[in-house]
Amino acid sequence: MLPYLLVSRSAEYETRLRALLGDRLAVVPGEFLTFGPEAVVSRVNDVPRIAMLGPVLNYEETRGLVDALTAKHPNLGLIVVREQRSDLEDWVDELSLHAVLNPDATDETTVGLLDRLALWLVAHGHAESHDFDVPAAVEVEDAPFIDAAVADEVVVDSDLAAELAASDEVEPEAPMWEFPPLEAGAPTEAIAVVAPKGGQGKTTIAINLATGLAEVAPNSVVLVDADLQFGDITATLALQPDKTIVDAVADAAIDELVLKTTLTRHEDGFFVVASAPSPELGDQVAPAALADLISRLRSTFRFVVIDTTPGLGEHTLVTLEHVTDAVFVTNMGVPSLRATRTEFELLTKLGLMPGNRHIVLNQVDKHSGLTIKDVENIIGAPVDIEVPKSSAVLLASNRGVPLIHDDVRDPAAKAIRSIVLRIAPEAFPKRSKIQRRRRSNEPE
Ligand SMILES: Nc1ncnc2c1ncn2[C@@H]1O[C@H](COP(=O)(O)OP(=O)(O)OP(=O)(O)O)[C@@H](O)[C@H]1O
Ligand SMILES: [Mg+2]
């Protein structure tokens, strides 16, 4: 007997519930919703008593599931697992749910809610108390236990949904941050950071660009790791993403709320779309899906910064087609400079050169044997920003902190700030705005 059913796209949440409910939990991955709610229902062999829908299911999917599940199992208890949002009340009203549970609720709250709903179902004749028993042969540590005697004593004469909605215990916690709404018609900018060759400093520039722009537009900047096979933004920033670009381009994420759940927040006030968890999964992200993702993010965020794969592959070409700005990064090596010239010529020929072009000469070293004039002659265009070679870049990366907040006086940090200024002139670096992160061994 599997009294509990979970339909969710979050493997992490599934693992948590399994630890709580053990062998009493049946799981149907939310991915089956691609084939419609019936495909999910047909995979449920047992008669579930309580279904948990979410996290990471959109409204339409949840509605379809509620209809299909209750048609087959009319006495089912229904819980939507979802963060608190302004439209939550509509979901509860329109979907006849019994409760809404925050995916981040503690184990105690989660088990407490399941127990109370089980008691209510038993008290109303929708289930038997032994339906929820832990199977005799299986011992589940800390599993919730519903005592039949207690269940018999329960008198539930009010509407459970109202009761639970009023309960502090299941009140979802308010998010610690908000996505500031964009004013209607407000301009949004998308900035691709590109280079024809690897290792020129794209990721370094992209991370610090997002950090600097987030000072102008806190929580309205998203940094997309579109280096699909070997993206390393989350590793460089010491972030642990729950979701990646693979989730962000999935059909479900067409819903803006679902899309937001795929982002990972950095404490400096910007969001990250993490790269694919493996090169194989990265390969599955179609160029058109990436273009669509950029467009959708532009309708929510003031600035979208995109780190790319080296070269001019299909993904980078569609990215360039959907941005307002391109930051071209090269070092002082002649092969890289020549490749940059070829890249410019090709993009101009294809009509894909974005409106605003910023040429960044990175790792500038006066011992390179080339002058800036030489560099400009090779690439056939003036250099906009020179970023010196600096050991602070690697130090910041090893500490997991954006350089411009790690070492504000470092010459490379100052140069990268001037790229931010080219894109957002309002980001004039007032002293009060520039905060250096305290090192762990510094006094408070
Ligand atoms: N101005 C700089 N001074 C010193 N080191 C730098 C500088 N810019 C980048 N680096 C170092 O160069 C290496 C490559 O930088 P980064 O990862 O940003 O390049 P990338 O273009 O994203 O590389 P990939 O093509 O592999 O994605 C890193 O170790 C980084 O710390
Ligand atoms: Mg990179």
Side-chain angles (χ1 to χ4, degrees), residues 229-295:
Q229 290 196 315
F230 297 106
D232 50 4
I233 287 178
T234 52
T236 309
L237 289 173
L239 292 173
Q240 267 142 10
D242 286 338
K243 299 275 185 308
T244 69
I245 195 163
V246 177
D247 304 293
V249 300
D251 284 349
I254 287 167
D255 179 307
E256 189 187 324
L257 292 178
V258 178
L259 176 61
K260 285 174 176 172
T261 66
T262 67
L263 309 176
T264 307
R265 187 173 184 275
H266 188 274
E267 59 180 319
D268 289 351
F270 60 91
F271 295 85
V272 175
V273 177
S275 67
S278 69
E280 295 83 10
L281 285 170
D283 276 345
Q284 289 173 19
V285 176
L290 175 61
D292 182 53
L293 174 65
I294 296 169
S295 303

Side-chain angles (χ1 to χ4, degrees), residues 197-204 227 232 307 310 362-363 387-390 393-394 412:
K197 288 191 173 285
Q200 307 295 297
K202 290 182 302 300
T203 302
T204 305
D227 187 350
D232 50 4
D307 187 14
N362 191 25
Q363 311 203 29
V387 180
K389 193 173 197 143
S390 162
V393 175
L394 187 60

Side-chain angles (χ1 to χ4, degrees), residues 305-324:
V305 179
I306 306 131
D307 187 14
T308 59
T309 314
L312 283 182
E314 250 189 294
H315 290 90
T316 304
L317 287 174
V318 293
T319 298
L320 286 167
E321 226 177 330
H322 288 81
V323 294
T324 50

